[in-house]
Amino acid sequence: MLKKFIVSNYKNFKDEISLDFSKIGEYSFNADSLSIRLIYGRNATGKTNFGRALLNIKSLLCGMQSSGLINEDGAAKFKYEFKFGSDEVTYKYSRFANTELCDEELYINGEAIFKCDFKNSKFDFQGLSIISAETVNTNRYLNKDEMDNEYVLPFLRWLINNTAFSDDSVLIRLSKYVRKMCMITVGNDLFYSYRNFLENLKNQVHLQNFEDFLNLMGIECKLVLQELPDGQVELYFSQSKLVPFYSTASSGTLALTSLYQKIVSNCSLIYIDDFAAFYHYEMAEKLISFFKTKYPKCQLIMTSHNTNLMTNKIMRPDCLFILSSRGTLTALCDATERELREGHNLEKMYIRGEFEKYE
């Protein structure tokens, strides 16, 4: 799981900003909220940018296109701290642009595995023996054909793809975790490619689970999947007649569907930008409760303007954060001199300006 993420000089975050899952307060209530972080911030504070920065590692290790441009004024710096079982993994790098890697370092349990300084062509692979990869042919990686001037292949990505690690290797676990990280941006993610999802719903159990999910969210419906003459399948609401699902569903239902598709793909971490933008606050609460119950191992980060969710009823002060226009991220328990307790009405405190200093 991700323990801590730090980024600096990325878009509007010139100074270092971090999110630490391991920093928790001494609260005895809502312990099932510890894998969830809810971030509040006014418009243009960088909530979307923070999510894109967090997912930058996926573009690096999985060869996916990076979202958004990185600052041209110096390199953007990224640092990720993970924990897999008893192993602590630290991976850090800096990039001058979306495809230009400046440096890269990997540490496991505090020991350096490798260090790459691409700009000065300095490489240290002496720690590869720690992960039983001392026989890997690093000269092949450093070959001119591998290291051209237009694109620098991340060594960690190359190492994972060119070494026969066991399935329980910490690097394989890291790779699987990163591949299962995802970001959902409400508005841009409503009309996703849904054909694979419909194919999955051919299984009656999966179709029933999706129907149960929508009903649990307050959308009373009966779903039917039918095969068309061209062999494709289509989803319908079953009413007095069949009504096409995707052309008639509300934007809120489509947002729920998009979210559900991500959920059932067994994600390791989901960053939901502008969470609850299409949801009534009661449905948003139900969604959070659904995550807690069904997916306790999935780390969930949400951004929102919905202050109804700023409550100890479903969350807790060390899991609620304020993102400021200055690029700081502060937990509510650290944004006041009071000792916040379960009985405090966090929403009222927020509205009357208790945490205004950190906005």
Side-chain angles (χ1 to χ4, degrees), residues 246-302:
Y246 283 99
S247 60
T248 60
S250 68
S251 57
T253 301
L254 290 176
L256 276 175
T257 303
S258 177
L259 178 59
Y260 183 81
Q261 183 191 12
K262 300 291 186 180
I263 294 171
V264 296
S265 64
N266 191 26
C267 291
S268 58
L269 179 147
I270 304 177
Y271 190 99
I272 308 177
D273 193 27
D274 209 4
F275 177 75
F278 286 84
Y279 312 137
H280 185 270
Y281 76 90
E282 289 181 350
M283 182 182 289
E285 289 185 7
K286 289 179 180 179
L287 273 171
I288 293 175
S289 297
F290 178 82
F291 269 102
K292 289 180 180 181
T293 304
K294 297 291 186 179
Y295 300 93
K297 295 183 179 180
C298 176
Q299 293 179 279
L300 182 66
I301 304 169
M302 305 170 290

Side-chain angles (χ1 to χ4, degrees), residues 12 40-49 273-274 303-305 323-326 350 359:
N12 61 301
Y40 288 86
R42 297 181 179 181
N43 292 334
T45 54
K47 298 185 295 295
T48 302
N49 289 344
D273 193 27
D274 209 4
T303 70
S304 180
H305 297 284
L323 179 62
S324 76
S325 57
R326 303 181 303 277
Y350 178 78
E359 287 190 293

Side-chain angles (χ1 to χ4, degrees), residues 155-212:
F155 180 69
L156 179 56
R157 180 171 144 202
W158 182 89
L159 179 65
I160 292 173
N161 291 334
N162 290 274
T163 308
F165 292 114
S166 61
D167 288 342
D168 62 349
S169 163
V170 66
L171 292 192
I172 296 300
R173 284 181 286 172
L174 171 63
S175 177
K176 288 180 177 178
Y177 181 96
V178 171
R179 287 184 180 277
K180 292 179 179 180
M181 296 171 68
C182 75
M183 179 175 177
I184 302 175
T185 303
V186 173
N188 295 333
D189 212 44
L190 295 181
F191 301 100
Y192 53 85
S193 177
Y194 55 86
R195 284 299 166 190
N196 289 339
F197 179 56
L198 293 184
E199 288 294 319
N200 181 265
L201 294 184
K202 285 182 177 180
N203 184 317
Q204 188 61 36
V205 173
H206 296 168
L207 179 63
Q208 187 62 54
N209 287 342
F210 179 47
E211 181 183 300
D212 291 344

Side-chain angles (χ1 to χ4, degrees), residues 29-30 32-33 281-282 285 288-289 292 308-317 320 341-346:
F29 59 94
N30 287 337
D32 56 359
S33 298
Y281 76 90
E282 289 181 350
E285 289 185 7
I288 293 175
S289 297
K292 289 180 180 181
N308 293 105
L309 300 175
M310 192 179 282
T311 169
N312 286 325
K313 183 175 70 174
I314 57 173
M315 298 293 290
R316 41 191 275 172
L320 296 162
R341 300 178 182 178
E342 186 174 5
H344 279 114
N345 189 318
L346 302 179

Side-chain angles (χ1 to χ4, degrees), residues 23 37 55 80 86 110 142 147 164 203 348:
K23 184 181 180 182
R37 297 293 182 270
L55 269 290
Y80 299 81
S86 60
L142 296 174
M147 301 279 290
N203 184 317
K348 285 186 177 180

